[in-house]
């Protein structure tokens, strides 16, 4: 029953408005659920509180800022090579870049924040996945307040971690 916090690119106002409309049976319950209607649970909205998570992970050396293109990310993942920024930037430098990303000082795709995992993992998706990226599109709930957004892989593990026990979840 969770409504995912989709990237702003996929949010369309008519769809967003229509999501809240639910049909009820004569007893005032949602058909098939047998419960009174309520607002479906949603992931936390991006806020200064949720921004503390990537800052804390970066400060602890578990995330790093990366300026590779999408093609370079794929190539390094295929070859199981550490990205250059992974080993050359300090936590303080990555944290400074993350803050500049949040302030809108970089273009889309210029920098990302990646989770420092295992580039030798048999699963390519677990080779330093992208946690945050820059998107200059308004969000359905926060408008233009933020220009960096968590990737689905990153936010999904935070939301569902209590319910599942997967390798990606245990890294966060």
């Amino acid at each position: 029953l969770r409504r995912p916090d989709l990237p702003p690119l996929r949010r369309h106002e008519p769809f967003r408005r229509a999501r809240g409309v639910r049909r009820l049976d004569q007893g005032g319950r949602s058909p098939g659920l047998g419960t009174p209607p309520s607002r479906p649970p949603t992931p936390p909205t991006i806020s200064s509180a949720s921004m503390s998570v990537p800052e804390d992970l970066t400060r602890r050396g578990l995330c790093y800022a990366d300026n590779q293109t999408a093609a370079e990310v794929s190539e390094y993942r295929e070859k199981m090579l550490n990205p250059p920024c992974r080993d050359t930037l300090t936590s303080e430098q990555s944290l400074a870049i993350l803050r500049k990303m949040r302030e809108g000082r970089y273009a889309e795709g210029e920098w990302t924040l990646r989770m420092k995992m295992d580039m030798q993992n048999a699963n390519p998706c677990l080779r330093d996945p992208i946690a945050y990226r820059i998107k200059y599109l308004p969000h359905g709930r926060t408008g233009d307040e933020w220009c960096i957004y968590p990737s689905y892989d990153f936010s999904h593990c935070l939301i569902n971690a209590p319910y599942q026990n997967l390798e990606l979840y245990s890294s966060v």
Side-chain angles (χ1 to χ4, degrees):
L1 298 177
R2 172 176 64 78
R3 208 173 35 206
D5 194 16
L6 298 174
L9 186 62
R10 295 194 182 133
R11 286 196 176 271
H12 299 289
E13 188 60 29
F15 173 73
R16 196 169 68 78
R17 279 191 309 245
R19 281 194 312 210
V21 177
R22 298 171 82 180
R23 295 193 175 164
L24 307 176
D25 65 14
Q26 290 182 344
R29 294 180 297 265
S30 300
L33 297 177
T35 60
S38 64
R39 185 170 180 224
T42 57
T45 300
I46 296 173
S47 65
S48 54
S50 65
M51 279 291 115
S52 66
V53 172
E55 285 194 4
D56 182 51
L57 291 173
T58 303
R59 197 175 293 110
R60 292 171 35 203
L62 300 174
C63 284
Y64 64 96
D66 188 32
N67 63 351
Q68 288 186 305
T69 65
E72 290 171 331
V73 169
S74 295
E75 178 185 346
Y76 274 70
R77 280 183 175 167
E78 285 176 19
K79 295 180 179 179
M80 297 181 173
L81 300 173
N82 283 353
C85 291
R86 184 183 212 262
D87 301 320
T88 58
L89 292 179
T90 65
S91 296
E92 292 80 21
Q93 291 171 319
S94 288
L95 189 57
I97 292 168
L98 171 64
R99 290 177 177 155
K100 288 178 184 177
M101 287 170 57
R102 188 175 56 213
E103 294 168 3
R105 294 191 191 179
Y106 299 116
E108 284 187 26
E110 190 173 351
W111 285 94
T112 59
L113 186 70
R114 293 179 66 179
M115 296 172 60
K116 193 179 276 189
M117 293 178 66
D118 179 14
M119 289 299 288
Q120 304 302 311
N121 195 302
N123 183 347
C125 295
L126 296 177
R127 297 178 192 152
D128 289 7
I130 292 173
Y132 279 79
R133 76 266 191 239
I134 302 168
K135 282 282 185 197
Y136 290 107
L137 291 170
H139 187 275
R141 289 185 276 162
T142 59
D144 292 327
E145 186 178 351
W146 300 98
C147 62
I148 63 171
Y149 293 94
S151 68
Y152 180 79
D153 291 337
F154 182 74
S155 61
H156 183 267
C157 66
L158 294 176
I159 295 163
N160 291 337
Y163 309 110
Q164 299 179 13
N165 184 18
L166 297 177
E167 187 173 349
L168 178 61
Y169 298 175
S170 62
S171 301
V172 178

